[in-house]
Amino acid sequence: MAGVKFRYYDPQKIVAGKPMREWLPFALAWWHALAAAGTDMFGGDTADKSFGAETGTMAHARAKADAGFALMEKLGIEYYCFHDRDLAPEASELAETNARLDEISDYILEKSKKTGIKALWGTANMFSHARYMNGAGSSNSADVFARAAASVKKALELTVKLGGRGYVFWGGREGYDTLWNTNTRFETENIALLMKAAVAYGRKIGFTGDFYIEPKPKEPTKHQYDFDAATTILFLKQYGLDKDFKLNIEANHATLAGHTFRHELRVAADHGMLGSIDANTGDTLLGWDTDEFPYSVYDATECMYEVIKAGGLTGGFNFDAKNRRPSYTPEDRETAFRMSMDTFALGLIKAAALIEDGRIDAFTRDRYASYNDGIGAKIRAGATLEELEAYTLAQGEPQLPSSGKQEELLDIVNEVLFG
Ligand code: XLS
Ligand code: NI
Ligand code: NI
Protein backbone atom coordinates (compact mmCIF):
# COMPACT_ATOMS: atom_id res chain seq x y z
CA MET A 1 0.00 0.00 0.00
CA ALA A 2 1.44 3.33 -1.05
CA GLY A 3 2.28 5.58 1.87
CA VAL A 4 2.56 8.67 -0.28
CA LYS A 5 -0.17 11.12 -1.12
CA PHE A 6 -0.58 11.70 -4.83
CA ARG A 7 -2.46 14.48 -6.45
CA TYR A 8 -3.47 12.68 -9.64
CA TYR A 9 -2.15 9.12 -9.50
CA ASP A 10 -4.82 6.79 -8.21
CA PRO A 11 -3.90 3.20 -9.13
CA GLN A 12 -7.47 1.89 -9.16
CA LYS A 13 -9.08 4.83 -10.95
CA ILE A 14 -10.48 3.81 -14.34
CA VAL A 15 -9.26 5.98 -17.20
CA ALA A 16 -9.90 5.11 -20.83
CA GLY A 17 -11.37 1.76 -19.78
CA LYS A 18 -8.52 0.52 -17.56
CA PRO A 19 -7.20 1.19 -14.06
CA MET A 20 -4.38 3.73 -13.98
CA ARG A 21 -1.93 1.16 -12.67
CA GLU A 22 -2.45 -0.96 -15.79
CA TRP A 23 -1.81 2.00 -18.09
CA LEU A 24 1.15 3.07 -15.99
CA PRO A 25 3.34 0.18 -14.83
CA PHE A 26 5.93 2.42 -13.16
CA ALA A 27 9.44 1.17 -12.53
CA LEU A 28 12.39 2.32 -10.47
CA ALA A 29 15.80 2.29 -12.18
CA TRP A 30 18.23 0.57 -9.78
CA TRP A 31 21.20 2.48 -11.19
CA HIS A 32 19.82 5.97 -10.67
CA ALA A 33 17.65 5.58 -7.59
CA LEU A 34 20.04 3.38 -5.60
CA ALA A 35 23.47 4.10 -7.07
CA ALA A 36 23.93 7.48 -8.82
CA ALA A 37 25.04 9.88 -6.10
CA GLY A 38 25.69 13.07 -8.01
CA THR A 39 29.16 12.60 -9.44
CA ASP A 40 29.65 14.56 -12.66
CA MET A 41 32.62 15.61 -14.80
CA PHE A 42 33.52 18.33 -12.35
CA GLY A 43 32.82 16.96 -8.91
CA GLY A 44 32.05 13.99 -6.72
CA ASP A 45 29.03 12.67 -4.90
CA THR A 46 26.61 14.95 -3.13
CA ALA A 47 24.15 12.24 -2.06
CA ASP A 48 24.85 9.47 0.41
CA LYS A 49 23.80 6.16 -1.09
CA SER A 50 25.75 3.91 1.22
CA PHE A 51 22.51 2.93 3.00
CA GLY A 52 24.61 2.23 6.08
CA ALA A 53 27.01 -0.24 4.40
CA GLU A 54 30.43 -0.06 2.83
CA THR A 55 30.05 0.52 -0.90
CA GLY A 56 31.36 -2.16 -3.24
CA THR A 57 30.48 -5.00 -0.83
CA MET A 58 27.71 -7.59 -0.87
CA ALA A 59 26.41 -6.03 2.35
CA HIS A 60 25.95 -2.82 0.37
CA ALA A 61 24.23 -4.73 -2.45
CA ARG A 62 21.73 -6.04 0.10
CA ALA A 63 21.32 -2.60 1.71
CA LYS A 64 20.51 -1.17 -1.71
CA ALA A 65 17.86 -3.82 -2.25
CA ASP A 66 16.38 -3.06 1.17
CA ALA A 67 16.27 0.67 0.41
CA GLY A 68 14.89 0.10 -3.08
CA PHE A 69 12.05 -2.13 -1.95
CA ALA A 70 11.19 0.24 0.92
CA LEU A 71 11.01 3.16 -1.50
CA MET A 72 8.95 1.23 -4.06
CA GLU A 73 6.53 0.03 -1.40
CA LYS A 74 6.11 3.53 -0.07
CA LEU A 75 5.40 4.90 -3.54
CA GLY A 76 3.29 1.98 -4.72
CA ILE A 77 5.76 1.24 -7.55
CA GLU A 78 5.39 -2.37 -8.70
CA TYR A 79 8.47 -2.79 -10.91
CA TYR A 80 12.18 -2.09 -11.10
CA CYS A 81 14.80 -2.22 -13.87
CA PHE A 82 18.37 -3.33 -13.42
CA HIS A 83 21.74 -3.90 -15.02
CA ASP A 84 23.67 -6.92 -13.71
CA ARG A 85 26.27 -4.45 -12.40
CA ASP A 86 23.69 -2.53 -10.38
CA LEU A 87 22.76 -5.58 -8.33
CA ALA A 88 26.17 -6.76 -7.17
CA PRO A 89 29.77 -5.62 -7.63
CA GLU A 90 31.80 -7.33 -10.33
CA ALA A 91 34.57 -9.72 -9.23
CA SER A 92 37.82 -10.34 -11.08
CA GLU A 93 36.58 -13.70 -12.44
CA LEU A 94 33.28 -14.41 -14.21
CA ALA A 95 32.46 -17.43 -12.02
CA GLU A 96 32.69 -15.35 -8.84
CA THR A 97 30.76 -12.48 -10.46
CA ASN A 98 27.98 -14.93 -11.31
CA ALA A 99 28.00 -16.41 -7.79
CA ARG A 100 27.47 -12.92 -6.39
CA LEU A 101 24.58 -12.38 -8.78
CA ASP A 102 23.03 -15.69 -7.68
CA GLU A 103 23.32 -14.64 -4.06
CA ILE A 104 21.81 -11.19 -4.47
CA SER A 105 19.03 -12.38 -6.77
CA ASP A 106 18.01 -14.96 -4.14
CA TYR A 107 17.82 -12.08 -1.67
CA ILE A 108 15.79 -9.91 -4.06
CA LEU A 109 13.49 -12.79 -4.96
CA GLU A 110 12.57 -13.22 -1.31
CA LYS A 111 11.60 -9.55 -1.14
CA SER A 112 9.69 -9.87 -4.37
CA LYS A 113 7.66 -12.77 -2.98
CA LYS A 114 6.77 -10.72 0.09
CA THR A 115 5.82 -7.54 -1.77
CA GLY A 116 4.73 -8.61 -5.25
CA ILE A 117 7.26 -6.16 -6.72
CA LYS A 118 8.94 -7.63 -9.81
CA ALA A 119 11.50 -6.75 -12.45
CA LEU A 120 10.14 -4.81 -15.40
CA TRP A 121 13.26 -5.59 -17.37
CA GLY A 122 16.84 -6.55 -16.90
CA THR A 123 19.92 -5.88 -18.93
CA ALA A 124 23.67 -6.41 -18.93
CA ASN A 125 25.96 -3.45 -18.46
CA MET A 126 28.27 -3.80 -21.46
CA PHE A 127 29.66 -0.30 -21.49
CA SER A 128 31.32 0.59 -18.15
CA HIS A 129 34.19 -1.91 -17.97
CA ALA A 130 37.34 -1.05 -19.93
CA ARG A 131 37.00 -4.26 -21.98
CA TYR A 132 33.96 -2.69 -23.64
CA MET A 133 35.83 0.38 -24.88
CA ASN A 134 34.90 -0.60 -28.45
CA GLY A 135 31.47 -1.95 -27.61
CA ALA A 136 30.22 -5.47 -26.91
CA GLY A 137 28.64 -7.04 -30.00
CA SER A 138 30.43 -4.44 -32.10
CA SER A 139 33.85 -4.95 -30.48
CA ASN A 140 36.81 -5.65 -32.76
CA SER A 141 37.84 -8.31 -30.21
CA ALA A 142 36.17 -11.72 -30.50
CA ASP A 143 37.12 -12.46 -26.87
CA VAL A 144 35.23 -9.38 -25.74
CA PHE A 145 32.26 -10.47 -27.85
CA ALA A 146 32.34 -13.85 -26.07
CA ARG A 147 32.63 -12.18 -22.65
CA ALA A 148 29.64 -9.97 -23.48
CA ALA A 149 27.65 -13.03 -24.54
CA ALA A 150 28.38 -14.63 -21.16
CA SER A 151 27.01 -11.51 -19.44
CA VAL A 152 23.87 -11.52 -21.58
CA LYS A 153 23.33 -15.18 -20.71
CA LYS A 154 23.54 -14.47 -17.00
CA ALA A 155 21.43 -11.30 -17.20
CA LEU A 156 18.74 -13.24 -19.06
CA GLU A 157 18.74 -15.89 -16.34
CA LEU A 158 18.40 -13.17 -13.70
CA THR A 159 15.57 -11.52 -15.63
CA VAL A 160 13.64 -14.78 -15.82
CA LYS A 161 14.31 -15.53 -12.15
CA LEU A 162 13.10 -12.08 -11.08
CA GLY A 163 9.93 -12.27 -13.17
CA GLY A 164 10.99 -9.65 -15.73
CA ARG A 165 8.52 -8.64 -18.42
CA GLY A 166 11.30 -7.72 -20.83
CA TYR A 167 15.00 -7.79 -21.58
CA VAL A 168 16.71 -4.64 -22.87
CA PHE A 169 19.65 -4.03 -25.12
CA TRP A 170 20.84 -0.48 -24.84
CA GLY A 171 23.82 -0.42 -27.16
CA GLY A 172 26.04 1.56 -24.79
CA ARG A 173 29.19 1.64 -26.86
CA GLU A 174 27.75 -0.13 -29.92
CA GLY A 175 28.87 2.65 -32.22
CA TYR A 176 32.00 4.32 -33.44
CA ASP A 177 34.04 7.45 -33.14
CA THR A 178 35.79 7.35 -36.52
CA LEU A 179 35.05 5.53 -39.76
CA TRP A 180 38.81 5.40 -40.46
CA ASN A 181 39.11 2.36 -38.19
CA THR A 182 35.60 0.91 -38.40
CA ASN A 183 33.90 -1.74 -40.53
CA THR A 184 30.28 -0.69 -39.94
CA ARG A 185 28.67 -3.57 -41.84
CA PHE A 186 30.73 -6.17 -39.98
CA GLU A 187 29.95 -4.60 -36.61
CA THR A 188 26.24 -4.37 -37.34
CA GLU A 189 26.12 -8.04 -38.37
CA ASN A 190 27.87 -9.00 -35.15
CA ILE A 191 25.43 -7.04 -33.00
CA ALA A 192 22.61 -8.96 -34.72
CA LEU A 193 24.42 -12.26 -34.06
CA LEU A 194 24.63 -11.45 -30.35
CA MET A 195 20.93 -10.61 -30.27
CA LYS A 196 20.00 -13.77 -32.16
CA ALA A 197 21.96 -15.84 -29.68
CA ALA A 198 20.16 -14.02 -26.86
CA VAL A 199 16.74 -14.76 -28.33
CA ALA A 200 17.65 -18.44 -28.79
CA TYR A 201 18.87 -18.79 -25.21
CA GLY A 202 16.06 -16.70 -23.71
CA ARG A 203 13.38 -18.80 -25.36
CA LYS A 204 15.23 -21.96 -24.30
CA ILE A 205 15.12 -21.01 -20.62
CA GLY A 206 11.46 -20.00 -20.73
CA PHE A 207 11.65 -16.25 -21.25
CA THR A 208 8.32 -15.40 -22.88
CA GLY A 209 8.56 -11.61 -22.65
CA ASP A 210 9.74 -9.12 -25.22
CA PHE A 211 13.29 -8.22 -26.03
CA TYR A 212 13.76 -4.49 -26.43
CA ILE A 213 16.26 -2.25 -28.10
CA GLU A 214 16.57 1.20 -26.57
CA PRO A 215 17.61 3.57 -29.39
CA LYS A 216 20.08 6.36 -28.64
CA PRO A 217 21.92 8.38 -31.30
CA LYS A 218 25.14 9.30 -29.50
CA GLU A 219 26.86 9.39 -26.11
CA PRO A 220 29.08 7.72 -25.15
CA THR A 221 30.18 7.08 -28.77
CA LYS A 222 29.92 9.80 -31.34
CA HIS A 223 27.63 7.71 -33.52
CA GLN A 224 25.55 4.78 -32.26
CA TYR A 225 24.04 2.14 -34.51
CA ASP A 226 20.64 2.25 -32.78
CA PHE A 227 20.31 5.92 -33.68
CA ASP A 228 16.55 6.28 -33.43
CA ALA A 229 13.33 4.27 -33.75
CA ALA A 230 13.29 4.19 -37.55
CA THR A 231 16.94 3.10 -37.81
CA THR A 232 16.42 0.44 -35.16
CA ILE A 233 13.29 -0.97 -36.77
CA LEU A 234 15.12 -1.27 -40.08
CA PHE A 235 17.94 -3.14 -38.34
CA LEU A 236 15.52 -5.52 -36.61
CA LYS A 237 13.69 -6.29 -39.86
CA GLN A 238 16.91 -6.66 -41.82
CA TYR A 239 18.18 -9.34 -39.44
CA GLY A 240 14.84 -11.08 -38.80
CA LEU A 241 14.68 -9.96 -35.17
CA ASP A 242 11.41 -8.06 -35.44
CA LYS A 243 9.21 -10.87 -34.10
CA ASP A 244 11.05 -11.06 -30.78
CA PHE A 245 12.03 -7.42 -30.33
CA LYS A 246 10.14 -4.23 -29.66
CA LEU A 247 11.50 -0.80 -28.75
CA ASN A 248 12.13 0.82 -25.41
CA ILE A 249 11.79 4.52 -26.19
CA GLU A 250 13.60 6.95 -23.92
CA ALA A 251 12.41 10.55 -23.97
CA ASN A 252 15.87 12.07 -23.62
CA HIS A 253 17.29 9.85 -26.38
CA ALA A 254 14.53 11.04 -28.72
CA THR A 255 15.53 14.65 -28.21
CA LEU A 256 19.22 13.82 -28.66
CA ALA A 257 18.28 12.34 -32.06
CA GLY A 258 16.63 15.63 -33.02
CA HIS A 259 13.13 14.20 -32.66
CA THR A 260 10.37 14.75 -30.17
CA PHE A 261 9.58 12.01 -27.66
CA ARG A 262 6.17 11.72 -29.30
CA HIS A 263 7.67 11.25 -32.76
CA GLU A 264 9.67 8.25 -31.57
CA LEU A 265 6.64 6.76 -29.84
CA ARG A 266 4.59 7.17 -33.00
CA VAL A 267 7.20 5.60 -35.28
CA ALA A 268 7.51 2.60 -32.95
CA ALA A 269 3.71 2.27 -32.64
CA ASP A 270 3.21 2.51 -36.41
CA HIS A 271 5.26 -0.68 -36.68
CA GLY A 272 3.57 -2.40 -33.75
CA MET A 273 6.83 -2.13 -31.84
CA LEU A 274 6.09 0.25 -29.00
CA GLY A 275 7.08 -1.95 -26.09
CA SER A 276 8.33 0.07 -23.17
CA ILE A 277 9.31 3.59 -22.16
CA ASP A 278 12.25 5.08 -20.31
CA ALA A 279 10.43 7.97 -18.72
CA ASN A 280 12.74 10.91 -18.28
CA THR A 281 13.42 14.22 -19.92
CA GLY A 282 16.43 16.08 -21.19
CA ASP A 283 17.06 19.76 -21.42
CA THR A 284 16.87 21.09 -24.96
CA LEU A 285 19.66 23.56 -24.17
CA LEU A 286 22.02 20.72 -23.22
CA GLY A 287 23.27 18.18 -25.74
CA TRP A 288 23.59 15.19 -23.47
CA ASP A 289 21.49 12.65 -21.59
CA THR A 290 20.64 14.61 -18.45
CA ASP A 291 18.09 11.98 -17.29
CA GLU A 292 15.83 14.40 -15.46
CA PHE A 293 12.61 13.44 -13.76
CA PRO A 294 9.83 14.43 -16.18
CA TYR A 295 7.41 17.18 -15.19
CA SER A 296 6.03 18.53 -18.46
CA VAL A 297 2.32 17.81 -18.59
CA TYR A 298 2.25 18.62 -22.29
CA ASP A 299 4.91 15.96 -22.98
CA ALA A 300 3.20 13.45 -20.73
CA THR A 301 -0.15 14.11 -22.41
CA GLU A 302 1.37 13.60 -25.86
CA CYS A 303 3.06 10.43 -24.63
CA MET A 304 -0.09 9.00 -23.11
CA TYR A 305 -2.10 9.90 -26.20
CA GLU A 306 0.25 7.68 -28.22
CA VAL A 307 0.21 4.96 -25.56
CA ILE A 308 -3.60 4.87 -25.37
CA LYS A 309 -3.84 4.75 -29.17
CA ALA A 310 -1.33 1.88 -29.18
CA GLY A 311 -3.46 -0.01 -26.64
CA GLY A 312 -0.89 0.22 -23.83
CA LEU A 313 2.61 -1.14 -23.30
CA THR A 314 3.87 -4.69 -22.90
CA GLY A 315 6.60 -3.13 -20.74
CA GLY A 316 6.16 -0.07 -18.57
CA PHE A 317 7.43 3.34 -17.54
CA ASN A 318 10.94 3.08 -16.23
CA PHE A 319 12.08 6.25 -14.49
CA ASP A 320 15.53 6.29 -16.04
CA ALA A 321 15.95 9.54 -14.17
CA LYS A 322 17.96 10.98 -11.34
CA ASN A 323 17.65 13.90 -9.00
CA ARG A 324 19.60 17.03 -9.86
CA ARG A 325 22.93 17.12 -8.08
CA PRO A 326 21.91 19.72 -5.49
CA SER A 327 18.71 17.77 -4.64
CA TYR A 328 20.56 15.15 -2.68
CA THR A 329 18.35 14.11 0.25
CA PRO A 330 16.22 10.95 0.53
CA GLU A 331 13.15 13.21 0.65
CA ASP A 332 14.16 14.73 -2.70
CA ARG A 333 14.24 11.23 -4.17
CA GLU A 334 10.74 10.46 -2.97
CA THR A 335 9.42 13.81 -4.18
CA ALA A 336 10.95 13.26 -7.62
CA PHE A 337 9.15 9.95 -8.09
CA ARG A 338 5.88 11.29 -6.76
CA MET A 339 6.05 14.37 -8.95
CA SER A 340 6.75 12.35 -12.10
CA MET A 341 4.16 9.67 -11.32
CA ASP A 342 1.62 12.47 -10.93
CA THR A 343 2.83 14.04 -14.18
CA PHE A 344 2.11 10.83 -16.11
CA ALA A 345 -1.18 10.28 -14.30
CA LEU A 346 -2.25 13.79 -15.26
CA GLY A 347 -1.01 13.17 -18.80
CA LEU A 348 -3.12 10.01 -18.93
CA ILE A 349 -6.21 11.86 -17.69
CA LYS A 350 -5.71 14.67 -20.21
CA ALA A 351 -4.92 12.36 -23.14
CA ALA A 352 -8.07 10.36 -22.39
CA ALA A 353 -10.01 13.63 -22.24
CA LEU A 354 -8.66 14.69 -25.65
CA ILE A 355 -9.70 11.36 -27.14
CA GLU A 356 -13.09 11.55 -25.44
CA ASP A 357 -13.55 15.11 -26.69
CA GLY A 358 -13.05 13.69 -30.17
CA ARG A 359 -12.57 16.92 -32.11
CA ILE A 360 -8.90 16.36 -32.85
CA ASP A 361 -9.30 12.73 -33.91
CA ALA A 362 -12.27 13.65 -36.09
CA PHE A 363 -10.32 16.44 -37.75
CA THR A 364 -7.34 14.21 -38.48
CA ARG A 365 -9.56 11.47 -39.84
CA ASP A 366 -11.50 13.85 -42.09
CA ARG A 367 -8.30 15.45 -43.32
CA TYR A 368 -7.81 12.35 -45.49
CA ALA A 369 -11.41 12.17 -46.69
CA SER A 370 -10.34 12.58 -50.34
CA TYR A 371 -9.13 8.96 -50.18
CA ASN A 372 -12.52 7.60 -49.14
CA ASP A 373 -13.86 7.24 -52.66
CA GLY A 374 -13.19 8.26 -56.27
CA ILE A 375 -9.57 8.64 -57.29
CA GLY A 376 -8.44 8.47 -53.65
CA ALA A 377 -9.91 5.01 -53.22
CA LYS A 378 -8.22 3.95 -56.46
CA ILE A 379 -4.86 5.24 -55.16
CA ARG A 380 -5.30 3.23 -51.96
CA ALA A 381 -5.98 0.15 -54.03
CA GLY A 382 -2.75 0.76 -55.97
CA ALA A 383 -3.37 2.93 -59.04
CA THR A 384 -0.79 3.08 -61.84
CA LEU A 385 1.04 6.21 -62.91
CA GLU A 386 -0.76 6.05 -66.28
CA GLU A 387 -4.19 6.05 -64.59
CA LEU A 388 -3.22 8.94 -62.36
CA GLU A 389 -1.84 10.93 -65.28
CA ALA A 390 -5.03 10.35 -67.26
CA TYR A 391 -7.09 11.47 -64.26
CA THR A 392 -5.07 14.65 -63.83
CA LEU A 393 -5.18 15.48 -67.55
CA ALA A 394 -8.96 15.21 -67.47
CA GLN A 395 -9.40 16.93 -64.11
CA GLY A 396 -6.96 19.84 -64.45
CA GLU A 397 -4.68 21.17 -61.66
CA PRO A 398 -5.72 20.14 -58.13
CA GLN A 399 -7.10 22.65 -55.66
CA LEU A 400 -4.97 23.42 -52.62
CA PRO A 401 -5.32 20.79 -49.87
CA SER A 402 -7.67 21.70 -47.02
CA SER A 403 -6.30 23.84 -44.17
CA GLY A 404 -4.23 22.02 -41.53
CA LYS A 405 -5.81 24.23 -38.84
CA GLN A 406 -2.83 23.71 -36.56
CA GLU A 407 -3.51 26.71 -34.36
CA GLU A 408 -7.15 25.75 -33.92
CA LEU A 409 -6.10 22.25 -32.83
CA LEU A 410 -3.53 23.62 -30.38
CA ASP A 411 -6.26 25.82 -28.96
CA ILE A 412 -8.41 22.72 -28.43
CA VAL A 413 -5.48 21.03 -26.65
CA ASN A 414 -5.19 24.00 -24.29
CA GLU A 415 -8.94 24.12 -23.76
CA VAL A 416 -9.06 20.43 -22.80
CA LEU A 417 -5.97 20.73 -20.59
CA PHE A 418 -6.84 23.95 -18.79
CA GLY A 419 -10.55 24.62 -19.39
C1 XLS B 1 21.67 5.34 -21.18
C2 XLS B 1 20.54 4.44 -21.15
C3 XLS B 1 20.62 3.35 -20.09
C4 XLS B 1 19.66 2.27 -20.44
C5 XLS B 1 19.94 0.97 -19.76
O1 XLS B 1 21.63 6.40 -21.76
O2 XLS B 1 19.37 5.20 -21.01
O3 XLS B 1 20.38 3.89 -18.84
O4 XLS B 1 18.35 2.65 -20.14
O5 XLS B 1 21.18 0.47 -20.07
NI1 NI C 1 17.45 4.45 -20.68
NI1 NI D 1 19.64 7.34 -21.47
Side-chain angles (χ1 to χ4, degrees):
M1 210 26 219
V4 164
K5 207 166 160 25
F6 292 95
R7 254 180 295 168
Y8 305 103
Y9 182 58
D10 175 355
Q12 306 308 337
K13 184 181 165 140
I14 305 288
V15 182
K18 274 200 284 192
M20 273 192 170
R21 61 181 279 274
E22 285 181 29
W23 284 117
L24 297 167
F26 290 125
L28 167 147
W30 215 265
W31 56 101
H32 283 315
L34 306 173
T39 291
D40 68 11
M41 299 282 268
F42 302 96
D45 289 351
T46 55
D48 179 3
K49 295 211 176 157
S50 62
F51 305 111
E54 192 190 331
T55 55
T57 63
M58 287 304 285
H60 183 236
R62 283 189 294 276
K64 275 162 67 181
D66 293 344
F69 273 81
L71 181 59
M72 288 187 281
E73 278 202 275
K74 191 162 182 193
L75 290 158
I77 290 182
E78 298 178 71
Y79 299 93
Y80 59 90
C81 297
F82 68 89
H83 302 86
D84 46 3
R85 269 316 58 76
D86 306 329
L87 300 185
E90 185 165 4
S92 53
E93 298 292 332
L94 178 63
E96 171 59 16
T97 296
N98 284 349
R100 290 181 186 180
L101 288 169
D102 290 339
E103 187 188 325
I104 194 69
S105 54
D106 283 347
Y107 188 74
I108 292 172
L109 192 57
E110 278 306 305
K111 291 184 162 293
S112 173
K113 282 183 187 150
K114 279 194 199 116
T115 59
I117 296 170
K118 288 186 180 160
L120 181 71
W121 51 255
T123 187
N125 176 331
M126 303 191 294
F127 45 88
S128 294
H129 194 284
R131 69 172 81 91
Y132 297 123
M133 64 173 70
N134 296 328
S138 68
S139 179
N140 59 309
S141 158
D143 282 352
V144 171
F145 184 108
R147 178 63 182 78
S151 278
V152 171
K153 176 175 178 289
K154 190 67 189 171
L156 269 166
E157 290 163 6
L158 292 171
T159 302
V160 171
K161 178 171 172 180
L162 298 173
R165 283 186 169 192
Y167 183 88
V168 163
F169 281 90
W170 167 57
R173 295 183 194 270
E174 311 287 38
Y176 61 84
D177 289 320
T178 175
L179 286 174
W180 291 115
N181 68 9
T182 303
N183 183 337
T184 47
R185 178 189 282 247
F186 186 80
E187 292 194 0
T188 312
E189 285 168 1
N190 279 357
I191 294 169
L193 288 170
L194 182 58
M195 290 179 178
K196 277 190 179 168
V199 170
Y201 185 70
R203 298 309 179 212
K204 192 163 122 187
I205 62 168
F207 175 63
T208 53
D210 285 319
F211 288 85
Y212 300 121
I213 289 184
E214 182 179 330
K216 184 175 182 180
K218 56 188 168 186
E219 194 203 33
T221 60
K222 176 175 150 182
H223 182 99
Q224 293 183 198
Y225 293 117
D226 305 332
F227 189 94
D228 62 359
T231 312
T232 304
I233 290 166
L234 178 68
F235 164 84
L236 290 172
K237 290 191 188 240
Q238 165 113 357
Y239 293 102
L241 291 160
D242 51 312
K243 298 288 171 286
D244 293 283
F245 275 80
K246 288 189 165 69
L247 303 191
N248 179 39
I249 300 293
E250 175 165 321
N252 202 164
H253 297 179
T255 46
L256 288 177
H259 300 306
T260 60
F261 180 26
R262 185 182 186 181
H263 169 91
E264 290 293 85
L265 297 170
R266 177 70 65 90
V267 171
D270 280 348
H271 291 85
M273 286 195 188
L274 177 54
S276 204
I277 287 174
D278 267 15
N280 64 15
T281 187
D283 185 316
T284 45
L285 299 181
L286 302 175
W288 65 93
D289 203 4
T290 54
D291 289 337
E292 299 174 35
F293 273 94
Y295 87 105
S296 161
V297 177
Y298 278 115
D299 286 350
T301 302
E302 293 186 359
C303 167
M304 294 316 298
Y305 183 91
E306 299 301 323
V307 169
I308 294 174
K309 292 278 176 186
L313 302 174
T314 54
F317 291 78
N318 169 40
F319 287 116
D320 193 356
K322 58 189 175 209
N323 285 88
R324 295 306 85 196
R325 193 165 182 264
S327 307
Y328 59 89
T329 70
E331 293 74 37
D332 289 320
R333 214 168 306 151
E334 201 177 295
T335 304
F337 277 99
R338 190 196 53 70
M339 182 275 289
S340 284
M341 290 166 75
D342 265 341
T343 299
F344 276 95
L346 188 52
L348 171 64
I349 292 166
K350 295 301 180 186
L354 279 165
I355 292 168
E356 173 77 23
D357 175 272
R359 280 176 288 172
I360 290 183
D361 281 350
F363 178 83
T364 306
R365 188 191 59 236
D366 293 347
R367 196 161 163 257
Y368 300 94
S370 65
Y371 289 89
N372 291 350
D373 44 34
I375 192 66
K378 285 190 182 140
I379 290 171
R380 294 294 289 170
T384 65
L385 293 186
E386 294 94 316
E387 282 168 333
L388 296 171
E389 182 198 45
Y391 173 83
T392 302
L393 286 171
Q395 196 72 15
E397 288 299 320
Q399 292 182 352
L400 289 181
S402 57
S403 167
K405 295 197 187 291
Q406 183 167 329
E407 298 76 11
E408 191 178 317
L409 299 176
L410 295 176
D411 197 42
I412 293 173
V413 171
N414 276 347
E415 185 194 325
V416 172
L417 261 68
F418 304 109

